[in-house]
Amino acid sequence: MKIAADDTRTYGYDDLPRLMALMTGDEKHGPAATSTLDALWVLYDRVLRVTPERREDPARDRFLLSKGHGPMAYYAVLAAKGFVPVEWLPGFGSYDSPLGHHPDRVLVPGAEIGSGSLGHGLPIAVGSALGLRAQGLHEPGVWVLIGDAELDEGSNHEAIAFAGPAGLERLHTIVIDNSSASHARPGGIAARFEAAGWSAVTVDGRDHEALYAAFTAPHPGRPHVVVARVEPKNA
């Protein structure tokens, strides 16, 4: 584990609810935040090759939060891993806080994109993977987390359709499925990606070992999507 920026203690998964509880206000979007918590933790704790010290390293892995409505879990994980001071959390959403209701890459250390406008993250991730390949940087992975409702956006369908035939092997997408999409897809979410040439797996979005296995599954020559099913948003 990494040392957090505010003191000498370390933070684990069990500390995340307390860190999230430090953030208050009317715009918390609690279900959007808690639905992503386990996937974000497994990713930052066991998969991503990025640290606070390497956040400007060209060889780092990139993580893009497209599901930017309700970033409390993201901020809590960034604080636990030392990217932002824990002291910033109580100011969440206030006028002079860098931790806005949507993440801002200029203000939040470790954030790769500003997010909140649904449907933007996956197309940006496709462009990032293409750009890294064009530079001859074949090791960094590009990870993007989206919500199932974002798949209603046409920009995502264009990105999915392009990435498979382009063979963007270093592109990884996590879809948090909390049953909030307006339009059903024949065969489910994974089938949409598979039809475009992606590697796909669907797992329990609360099972850390299942998430880790899915995140690290080999997918030579193809982009990879993990559909993480969690409890329905309005349950």
Side-chain angles (χ1 to χ4, degrees):
M1 292 187 182
K2 317 289 189 307
I3 299 215
D6 66 323
D7 53 34
T8 57
R9 67 161 292 180
T10 58
Y11 292 86
Y13 174 76
D14 291 341
D15 294 300
L16 296 180
R18 181 179 67 82
L19 295 176
M20 291 178 66
L22 295 175
M23 292 173 271
T24 59
D26 295 331
E27 295 284 340
K28 295 198 300 182
H29 291 285
T34 55
S35 66
T36 67
L37 187 63
D38 296 273
L40 283 170
W41 178 255
V42 173
L43 198 61
Y44 272 90
D45 193 51
R46 301 173 64 180
V47 179
L48 284 180
R49 297 176 306 160
V50 63
T51 64
E53 297 75 24
R54 291 189 62 198
R55 60 189 178 89
E56 302 294 337
D57 185 349
R60 73 190 182 282
D61 286 345
R62 276 78 166 164
F63 172 74
L64 285 60
L65 179 70
S66 186
K67 187 178 169 66
H69 289 70
M72 291 193 307
Y74 184 46
Y75 293 155
V77 170
L78 289 179
K81 291 300 180 182
F83 288 87
V84 303
V86 171
E87 287 91 342
W88 285 9
L89 300 180
F92 165 73
S94 61
Y95 174 76
D96 58 352
S97 173
L99 304 182
H101 294 136
H102 297 158
D104 185 329
R105 71 177 184 85
V106 177
L107 300 177
V108 182
E112 296 281 355
I113 61 170
S115 56
S117 296
L118 298 181
H120 288 0
L122 183 52
I124 294 173
V126 169
S128 298
L130 280 172
L132 289 169
R133 187 164 72 179
Q135 296 175 70
L137 297 172
H138 301 295
E139 290 303 316
V142 178
W143 294 78
V144 58
L145 186 148
I146 70 176
D148 62 317
E150 286 191 76
L151 292 175
D152 293 341
E153 302 288 341
S155 55
N156 276 331
H157 290 283
E158 293 180 16
I160 293 167
F162 177 87
L168 295 181
E169 182 177 337
R170 302 305 295 157
L171 175 63
H172 311 78
T173 298
I174 305 165
V175 180
I176 302 297
D177 180 10
N178 65 353
S179 303
S180 58
S182 299
H183 306 293
R185 289 163 189 80
I189 293 173
R192 171 67 186 89
F193 286 82
E194 289 174 327
W198 289 59
S199 166
V201 62
T202 300
V203 298
D204 179 348
R206 300 302 186 190
D207 186 328
H208 289 198
E209 293 306 318
L211 286 166
Y212 177 73
F215 290 165
T216 57
H219 49 96
R222 296 190 291 168
H224 184 55
V225 62
V226 176
V227 180
R229 288 179 172 166
V230 297
E231 55 279 0
K233 178 179 178 180
N234 297 314

